[in-house]
RNA sequence: GCCGAGGUGGCGGAACUGGUAGACGCGCACGACUUAAAAUCGUGUAGAGUUAAACCUCUGUGAGGGUUCGAGUCCCUCCCCCGGCACCA
């Protein structure tokens, strides 16, 4: 009997599979298509355990589906643009492109050792012009529809990387890449108008029915993601109400979700950055206000968000007029009001908003109750006799719920909801309010002051502006028609689609010098304007890498297409993706952006669906043995290559599948893989012994013993369990079922020879999990006839054989188990009850007690109540 | 604070629509093999108690209540961990 040597059999079969092009997909066969997508990877250099977990485990599903007769499309590629390449290049003087492509090559070699069945013939590498050309194409399409625009905004600026960061890339006020403190800086940059899609990106309530991805099918995405995205979009409905200023023409719009509390608005608060603050501040307060603004601006993101919530603020010296009662109320500026949300100004209702309450307490402002809590007994009797004014400061906190209006003039006694509607409509008549919906989500800033990304396909032309600009300047909009570059207005001219791609020049100075690296490539920057032929300059920034990953799943279908994103027929037949594996960390980033792109591509007629993945599955995280995240600095990195060398790829794959639920975050347990390795050795040993009994050259097993009902039951039960569990991404219990059956077969093999049917089915069930071992035994034991096990049919189970002739009935007295009796299956209730009462143990427990009641669950239990 | 997911042996985790809690694996203990160890194989392994041994008794799924013949599972209150968001008007 030979020993199980994964290091011999694994490379051997990997070579055979590669040579036979075993996993080649035929996209013309879409009738039973199965598109399995795994988030593509950044070419960081070395395949680590996380990559194995991410790719090797879903491969189990890919392989099962293939054996089940699906045409499985499981492409792979590289998300190849990004900061690390550039940072490494700056540090070590290697060109980002060379760095990236050499990593791609190396990682593909490592991928090969995984024994995974990903298809590389449709590989996408985002840093190649034939890919990013289409980023540029989409960008221009968005520009044409007003969805890409140049805007100014306070942006997260990483001083070390000299780069703008998206909110999603700021972690606790620090840059996600380098960890340095992020500061706020006003920057001109390109935005994609994801806010136009905010409403459509909201996941509907289940009760309303999810947005359809195709026909009648509904999508199956994790609840945590759905809730997370909805919160991030942060829709809130209310009104914008305008407060006039005493003795001035100015109006201050404020956003509120509670127009019903308007009579309780005793002051206004403007964000320190609010442009009206300057105009509103009276002379005597100017110095104080300026000083406050300065202090507020110096607060870092962390301080302002996490730190003190002490409700600092200062009076501007001005008053506004409350539109419902014409009262004069003071105008403050305070940093608890954010410029980035709503109008940057609020009406403060301290009795009914906790923040306003705290501010009012601190600055000694009036707190006026205008909402009475429903069902509040204290006031219940006085429902008709409403106190005209509440004594200030008799409240310990704000009451934020809805209720019945008091102290609100003609709106008294109305419920919050009707009062809100009425107040808005009354104010709308005098042009002081308008119904408004606000969203927390902001437009997506996509400009990056970096080299290693997709060039923004825009040209700025001075001549076009001076020729045409003056004529249309009244209607021209900054950011859409022109941009101010180096203090000078220039027309924005998109690169014509037929001139794409705008290729990234190879020779640039990408070391940080305070301006975008592409600006140093002067031959590239200076171009003839495609519109007027005059001297013009290219945009020197590049796109956020999340643009690349927002539609790559489409490109996989047709990565070489030079005319379109992908062939239309393929898009219609193969998308949406059937299952998409990826990390929960992409809840607010990548998956949101790609949903946005999908809806946009739908709107311009490229794709027929509005959700790109039928099902989304989150993977977990493998921590180091010490329970913390694997990192080189902690020295707790488990290197998959080392584990593969010791135990083989099959053992690593199964261990990763077996650890627990797939979304589990759990440490690597060095003992655990040993157990799995032991299991594979037992498989090997058991089936090897059996093969020894085969006459040489025999292609079939001789069944020495008839399989008993129990033998068949074990077999069919396992087939069912593995099939169902893999389908439902419960790999851990599928592995457990395989182990159980092995234990059973192992016991049986002491009494009789295993049947060919058993071994054959076992190997086919094992094949997705341990593809090399299964292939080796399949071949060695003569099942193959030269055909790979991975092309064999998936075993079928017979539900009738799973049912046992005998069942174990639990007999309980008052809900406690008192006996277990094996009986024929499917006995009637009376019969079961009779058998239960016949039991000696039961008789003893019942004794002389009277039976009150008995519950019989067929094939399960009898519960006797005494 | 808000949103989401959880809390089950020494550990990772099982448990269908409420119906034998602890599958499977790790670890540990004992035994076999061995000069010995490793490897491998076998047996046991929630806790406590009675016992020659238990297939005996009791207690047990974060805490406390509740619904039910019966609750890890459903409901209420609370505590704790993890992930995300956070002065969003």
């Amino acid at each position: 009997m030979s020993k199980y040597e994964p290091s011999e059999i694994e490379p051997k079969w990997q070579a055979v599979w590669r040579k036979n092009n075993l996993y080649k997909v035929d996209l013309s066969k879409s009738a039973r298509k199965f598109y399995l997508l795994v988030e593509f990877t950044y070419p960081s250099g070395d395949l680590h355990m996380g990559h194995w977990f991410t790719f090797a485990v879903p491969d189990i599903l890919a392989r099962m589906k293939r054996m089940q007769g699906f045409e499985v499309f499981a492409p792979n590629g590289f998300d190849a643009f990004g900061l690390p390449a550039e940072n490494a290049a700056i540090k070590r003087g290697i060109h980002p492109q060379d760095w990236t492509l050499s990593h791609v090559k190396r990682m593909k070699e490592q991928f090969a050792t995984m024994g995974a069945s990903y298809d590389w013939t449709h590989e996408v590498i985002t840093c190649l012009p034939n890919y990013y050309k289409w980023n540029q194409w989409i960008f221009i399409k968005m520009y044409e529809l007003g969805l890409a625009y140049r805007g100014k905004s306070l942006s997260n600026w990483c001083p070390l990387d000299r780069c703008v960061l998206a909110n999603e890339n700021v972690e606790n006020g620090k840059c996600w890449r380098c960890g340095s403190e992020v500061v706020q800086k006003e920057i001109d940059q390109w935005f994609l108008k994801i806010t136009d899609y905010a409403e459509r990106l909201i996941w509907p309530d289940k009760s309303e029915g999810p947005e359809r991805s195709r026909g009648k099918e509904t999508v199956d995405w994790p609840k945590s993601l759905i809730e997370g995205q909805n919160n991030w979009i942060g829709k809130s409905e209310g009104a914008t109400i305008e407060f006039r200023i005493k003795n001035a023409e100015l109006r201050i719009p404020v956003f509120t979700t509670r127009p019903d509390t308007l009579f309780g608005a005793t002051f206004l608060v403007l964000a320190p950055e609010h442009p009206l603050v300057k105009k509103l501040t009276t002379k005597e307060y100017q110095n104080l206000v300026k000083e406050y603004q300065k202090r507020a601006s110096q607060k870092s993101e962390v301080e302002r968000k996490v730190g003190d919530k002490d409700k600092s603020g200062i009076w501007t010296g001005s008053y506004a007029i409350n539109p419902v009662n014409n009262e004069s109320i003071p105008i403050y500026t305070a940093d608890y009001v954010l410029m980035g949300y709503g109008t940057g100004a609020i009406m403060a209702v301290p009795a009914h908003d906790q923040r306003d309450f705290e501010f009012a307490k601190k600055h000694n402002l009036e707190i006026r109750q205008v909402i009475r809590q429903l069902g509040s007994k204290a006031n219940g009797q006085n429902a008709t006799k409403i106190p005209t004014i509440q004594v200030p400061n008799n409240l310990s906190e704000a009451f934020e719920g809805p209720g019945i209006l008091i102290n609100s003039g003609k709106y008294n006694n109305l419920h919050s909801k009707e009062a809100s509607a009425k107040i808005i409509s009354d104010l709308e008549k005098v042009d002081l309010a308008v119904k408004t919906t606000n969203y927390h989500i902001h437009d997506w800033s996509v400009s990056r002051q970096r080299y290693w990304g997709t060039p923004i396909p825009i040209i700025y032309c001075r001549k076009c502006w001076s020729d045409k600009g003056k004529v249309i300047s009244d209607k021209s909009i900054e950011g859409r028609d022109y941009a101010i570059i180096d203090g000078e207005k220039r027309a924005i001219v998109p690169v014509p689609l037929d001139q794409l791609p705008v290729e990234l020049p190879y020779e640039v100075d990408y070391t940080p010098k305070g301006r975008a690296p592409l600006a140093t490539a002067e031959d590239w920057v200076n171009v003839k304007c495609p519109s007027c032929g005059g001297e013009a300059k290219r945009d020197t920034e590049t796109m956020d890498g999340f643009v690349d990953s927002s539609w790559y799943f489409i490109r996989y279908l047709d990565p070489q297409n030079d005319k379109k994103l992908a062939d239309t027929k393929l898009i219609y037949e193969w998308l949406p993706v059937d299952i998409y594996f990826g990390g929960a960390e992409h809840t607010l980033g990548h998956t949101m952006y790609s949903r946005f792109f999908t809806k946009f591509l739908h709107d311009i007629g490229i794709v027929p669906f509005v959700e790109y993945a039928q099902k989304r599955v989150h993977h977990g995280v493998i921590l180091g043995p010490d329970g913390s995240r694997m990192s080189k600095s902690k020295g707790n990195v488990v290197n998959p290559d080392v584990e593969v060398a010791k135990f083989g790829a099959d053992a690593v794959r199964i261990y990763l599948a077996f650890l627990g639920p797939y979304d589990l975050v759990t440490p690597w347990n060095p003992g655990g893989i040993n157990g799995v390795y032991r299991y594979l050795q037992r498989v090997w040993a058991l089936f090897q012994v059996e093969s020894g009994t085969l006459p040489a050259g025999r292609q079939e097993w001789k069944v020495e013993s008839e399989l008993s009902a129990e033998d068949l039951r074990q077999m069919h039960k396992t087939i069912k369990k593995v099939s169902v569990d893999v389908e439902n991404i419960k790999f851990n219990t599928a592995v457990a079922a395989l182990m159980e059956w092995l234990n059973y077969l192992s016991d049986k093999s002491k009494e009789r020879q295993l049947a060919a049917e058993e071994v054959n089915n076992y190997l086919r069930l094992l094949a997705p999990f341990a593809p090399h071992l299964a292939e080796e035994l399949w071949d060695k034991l003569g099942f193959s006839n030269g055909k790979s096990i991975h092309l064999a049919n998936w075993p079928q189970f017979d539900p009738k054989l799973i049912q046992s002739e005998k069942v174990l009935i639990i007999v309980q007295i008052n809900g406690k188990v008192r006996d277990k009796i094996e009986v024929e299956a499917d006995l009637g209730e009376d019969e079961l009850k009779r058998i239960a009462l016949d039991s000696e143990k039961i008789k003893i427990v019942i004794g002389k007690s009277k039976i009150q009641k008995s519950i019989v669950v067929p094939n399960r239990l009898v519960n006797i109540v005494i």
Side-chain angles (χ1 to χ4, degrees):
Chain A
M1 182 174 92
S2 65
K3 212 179 154 233
Y4 171 48
E5 294 284 3
S7 59
E8 282 171 22
I9 63 175
E10 291 181 352
K12 178 179 84 183
W13 287 112
Q14 283 161 13
V16 172
W17 298 335
R18 204 172 319 126
K19 190 172 144 238
N20 296 344
N21 216 346
L22 201 64
Y23 310 117
K24 192 174 161 61
V25 63
D26 183 351
L27 292 183
S28 70
K29 292 182 187 161
S30 62
R32 292 198 75 199
K33 69 104 179 174
F34 189 78
Y35 186 165
L36 182 149
L37 181 68
V38 180
E39 278 170 6
F40 61 173
T41 188
Y42 182 79
S44 53
D46 260 313
L47 225 53
H48 54 71
M49 205 47 94
H51 291 114
W52 273 72
F53 193 49
T54 303
F55 289 95
V57 179
D59 180 55
I60 294 168
L61 177 65
R63 287 179 179 276
M64 181 183 86
K65 284 282 173 185
R66 199 176 287 115
M67 291 172 75
Q68 286 175 341
F70 286 88
E71 192 68 22
V72 175
F73 183 45
N76 211 341
F78 290 93
D79 188 15
F81 272 137
L83 281 177
E86 197 164 336
N87 289 339
I90 292 164
K91 249 190 194 164
R92 291 184 247 155
I94 309 163
H95 193 277
Q97 182 177 312
D98 303 339
W99 185 93
T100 302
L101 294 179
S102 73
H103 282 180
V104 164
K105 184 166 174 280
R106 169 162 170 65
M107 288 175 84
K108 278 173 78 172
E109 286 162 14
Q110 288 179 306
F111 262 116
T113 69
M114 202 179 267
S117 61
Y118 292 100
D119 172 285
W120 290 97
T121 63
H122 286 77
E123 181 182 37
V124 157
I125 300 175
T126 59
C127 66
L128 300 180
N130 82 348
Y131 184 81
Y132 67 69
K133 167 181 177 177
W134 299 100
N135 286 342
Q136 295 170 336
W137 186 89
I138 292 168
F139 184 93
I140 289 170
K141 285 286 173 193
M142 285 191 173
Y143 173 79
E144 287 170 352
L145 290 164
L147 291 167
Y149 65 95
R150 237 174 117 78
K152 282 182 214 305
S153 87
L154 272 185
S155 300
N156 304 304
W157 174 259
C158 172
L160 187 73
D161 290 337
R162 308 191 69 86
C163 180
V164 173
L165 298 168
N167 280 337
E168 295 76 33
N169 293 350
V170 180
E171 291 165 353
N172 291 323
K174 301 208 159 104
C175 172
W176 71 324
R177 287 279 186 222
C178 69
S180 39
E181 190 83 14
V182 170
V183 297
Q184 297 301 300
K185 195 172 167 184
E186 188 152 273
I187 309 266
D188 265 309
Q189 54 193 303
W190 284 97
F191 287 88
L192 300 184
K193 215 167 182 182
I194 193 171
T195 52
D196 267 17
Y197 284 77
E199 193 63 40
R200 289 166 65 193
L201 286 166
I202 294 171
W203 294 90
D205 271 350
K206 269 210 181 119
S207 52
E208 296 168 26
E211 188 165 7
R212 303 297 155 86
S213 65
R214 192 189 241 186
K216 286 181 209 148
E217 296 169 55
T218 56
V219 296
D220 177 12
W221 282 45
K223 197 180 172 188
S224 59
L225 180 146
I226 286 173
E227 297 294 328
Q229 291 195 345
N230 283 354
N231 287 341
W232 185 253
I233 293 165
K235 178 180 183 176
S236 64
E237 288 175 290
T240 304
I241 297 174
E242 298 200 339
F243 283 66
R244 283 163 298 150
I245 306 300
K246 231 177 172 177
N247 313 324
E249 286 302 301
L250 288 175
R251 287 177 167 201
I252 306 174
V254 306
F255 174 70
T256 181
T257 55
R258 294 294 302 275
D260 56 314
T261 64
L262 191 47
F263 280 83
T266 51
F267 55 100
L268 291 191
V269 188
L270 273 58
E273 305 88 353
H274 198 291
L276 286 178
V277 171
K278 203 178 167 190
K279 288 182 187 161
L280 289 169
T281 305
T282 56
K283 254 188 191 158
E284 56 270 48
Y285 286 91
Q286 267 175 11
N287 287 341
L288 286 168
V289 167
K290 264 188 190 162
E291 198 193 315
Y292 181 75
Q293 285 178 309
K294 195 180 165 200
R295 238 186 317 140
S297 71
Q298 282 170 342
K299 278 193 189 178
S300 72
E301 192 78 353
V302 188
E303 276 178 288
R304 197 156 166 184
K305 282 191 172 160
V306 186
D308 69 295
K309 298 193 174 178
D310 67 348
K311 302 291 177 293
S312 69
I314 191 161
W315 187 32
T316 60
S318 293
Y319 292 90
I321 297 159
N322 186 332
V324 279
N325 55 17
N326 290 321
E327 274 182 40
S328 283
I329 57 174
I331 304 170
Y332 278 71
T333 179
D335 66 5
Y336 82 93
V337 174
L338 307 174
M339 195 57 221
Y341 185 75
T343 62
I346 61 156
M347 62 178 217
V349 184
H352 303 291
D353 182 284
Q354 188 60 24
R355 297 154 299 172
D356 298 343
F357 180 85
E358 286 163 19
F359 189 85
K361 281 274 190 189
K362 183 163 176 183
H363 298 267
N364 213 12
L365 293 157
E366 189 188 351
I367 298 170
R368 186 188 304 168
Q369 191 182 348
V370 294
I371 304 289
R372 180 168 56 73
Q373 190 164 3
L374 273 173
S376 147
K377 278 186 186 152
N379 290 333
Q381 288 198 321
N382 299 341
T384 48
K385 281 206 290 175
I386 292 141
T388 48
I389 205 146
Q390 289 282 321
V391 184
N393 304 340
N394 68 342
L395 302 164
S396 59
E397 57 177 11
F399 166 63
E400 298 190 320
I404 301 297
L405 269 72
I406 55 174
N407 294 334
S408 299
K410 63 174 177 173
Y411 303 102
N412 278 341
N413 291 326
L414 290 176
H415 184 269
S416 288
K417 203 177 163 187
E418 5 166 22
S420 286
K422 205 149 185 290
I423 289 172
I424 295 173
S425 72
D426 287 350
L427 289 175
E428 269 176 340
K429 284 173 203 152
V430 293
D431 202 25
L432 284 172
V434 60
K435 262 185 144 171
T436 311
T437 301
N438 250 314
Y439 299 91
H440 168 236
I441 193 172
H442 282 45
D443 280 340
W444 173 14
S445 84
V446 291
S447 305
R448 296 291 178 272
Q449 290 65 40
R450 279 289 186 162
Y451 165 67
W452 194 230
T454 304
I456 291 174
I458 293 289
I459 289 166
Y460 301 104
C461 178
R462 187 188 295 146
K463 186 156 177 284
C464 279
W465 180 254
S466 53
D467 286 357
K468 288 182 274 173
K470 281 174 197 146
V471 184
I472 55 163
S473 61
D474 288 350
K475 288 177 191 164
S476 295
I477 296 174
E478 182 178 354
R480 187 191 68 184
D481 304 309
Y482 69 91
I484 300 174
I485 307 288
D486 301 328
E488 189 181 11
K489 283 187 183 174
R490 289 168 184 258
I492 293 172
V493 181
V495 173
L497 295 176
D498 59 10
Q499 290 176 27
L500 297 180
V502 176
E503 283 202 39
L504 196 58
Y506 187 86
E507 293 293 343
V508 299
D509 178 4
Y510 45 75
T511 54
K513 294 231 169 49
R515 58 174 183 158
L518 284 177
T520 67
E522 292 189 6
D523 290 352
W524 180 86
V525 172
N526 296 311
V527 287
K528 291 262 183 289
C529 170
S531 174
C532 71
E535 298 296 319
K537 283 181 188 297
R538 292 190 188 278
D539 191 299
T540 56
E541 300 188 343
T542 53
M543 295 183 202
D544 181 3
F546 279 116
V547 171
D548 310 346
S549 55
S550 288
W551 65 281
Y552 72 109
F553 44 87
I554 299 171
R555 189 66 177 172
Y556 271 143
L557 291 169
D558 199 6
Q560 299 308 322
N561 197 318
D562 199 39
K563 300 277 182 294
K564 295 173 172 180
L565 273 74
D567 178 74
T568 304
K569 186 163 179 277
L570 291 175
I571 290 174
Y572 273 68
E573 290 181 352
W574 279 85
L575 285 164
V577 163
D578 290 276
I579 189 164
Y580 188 19
F581 290 91
E585 70 274 16
H586 289 124
T587 294
L588 302 180
H590 161 60
T591 52
M592 186 79 116
Y593 296 136
S594 45
R595 290 181 62 222
F596 161 47
F597 265 50
T598 300
K599 288 172 200 293
F600 169 74
L601 292 174
H602 170 264
D603 291 354
I604 62 169
I606 306 283
V607 305
F609 46 85
V610 292
E611 293 292 350
Y612 68 95
Q614 201 65 249
K615 181 171 179 171
R616 165 87 178 169
V617 172
H618 285 160
H619 63 237
V621 181
I622 306 297
L623 304 170
D626 61 351
S628 60
R629 259 171 203 275
M630 287 191 196
S631 76
K632 281 177 197 160
S633 59
K634 285 188 193 127
N636 63 348
V637 174
V638 179
N639 183 343
D641 296 347
V642 172
E643 302 300 314
V644 170
K646 265 201 263 185
F647 304 106
D650 284 342
V652 176
R653 289 168 61 104
I654 295 183
Y655 176 58
L656 290 171
F658 182 56
L659 291 169
Y662 190 51
D663 58 4
L664 188 76
V665 177
T666 193
W668 176 269
N669 171 3
I673 188 162
N674 219 340
V676 167
Y677 182 59
R678 225 161 10 223
Y679 157 70
L680 291 178
Q681 281 179 307
R682 292 178 58 215
V683 172
W684 179 266
L686 182 64
F687 296 159
Q688 281 281 298
V689 167
E690 294 301 318
S691 74
T693 66
L694 273 181
R698 279 200 60 157
Q699 293 299 303
E700 283 186 26
W701 287 60
K702 187 181 173 196
V703 182
E704 298 281 351
S705 40
E706 281 286 303
L707 292 180
S708 70
E710 181 58 14
D711 295 334
L712 289 169
R713 200 174 81 83
Q714 289 297 332
M715 180 162 78
H716 287 267
K717 197 179 81 177
T718 308
I719 295 171
K720 182 181 179 185
K721 177 84 177 150
V722 173
S723 310
V724 171
D725 282 357
V726 171
E727 184 78 42
N728 293 323
I729 319 301
K730 290 166 82 175
F731 304 111
N732 56 330
T733 48
V735 174
L738 284 169
M739 288 173 166
E740 268 180 272
W741 192 26
L742 187 78
N743 291 343
Y744 178 87
L745 292 177
S746 184
D747 278 351
K748 287 288 153 183
S749 72
K750 289 165 195 160
E751 304 162 10
R752 63 167 172 86
Q753 190 184 3
L754 296 183
E757 198 187 353
E758 288 172 312
V759 180
N760 181 307
N761 279 330
Y762 198 95
L763 291 178
R764 282 186 289 155
L765 290 182
L766 183 64
F769 298 85
H772 311 89
L773 171 61
E775 185 82 299
E776 175 75 10
L777 289 173
W778 186 252
D779 182 58
K780 226 175 185 166
L781 303 184
F783 291 116
S784 73
N785 289 321
K787 192 177 154 198
S788 168
I789 189 169
H790 302 294
L791 300 178
N793 293 328
W794 187 250
Q796 300 291 308
F797 64 89
D798 181 345
K800 275 177 278 174
L801 295 175
I802 293 173
Q803 274 162 22
S804 172
E805 291 164 13
K806 298 238 172 181
V807 289
L808 193 67
I809 297 293
I810 304 305
V811 185
Q812 299 178 327
I813 307 279
N814 292 343
K816 288 194 176 177
V817 181
R818 295 298 174 181
D819 200 6
K820 300 165 189 181
I821 307 169
E822 196 176 59
V823 301
E824 302 286 314
D826 300 326
L827 291 183
E829 292 194 13
D830 293 342
E831 181 75 353
L832 282 173
K833 190 173 160 187
R834 191 189 58 71
I835 292 169
L837 290 173
D838 233 24
S839 150
E840 284 305 316
K841 283 180 191 166
I842 295 305
K843 277 182 187 164
I844 292 164
V845 180
I846 294 177
K848 285 175 187 162
S849 307
K850 206 178 158 201
I851 296 169
Q852 309 282 334
K853 187 177 175 183
S854 50
I855 293 98
V856 180
V857 182
N859 288 335
R860 271 241 169 85
L861 64 67
V862 179
N863 188 11
I864 294 157
V865 185
I866 55 173

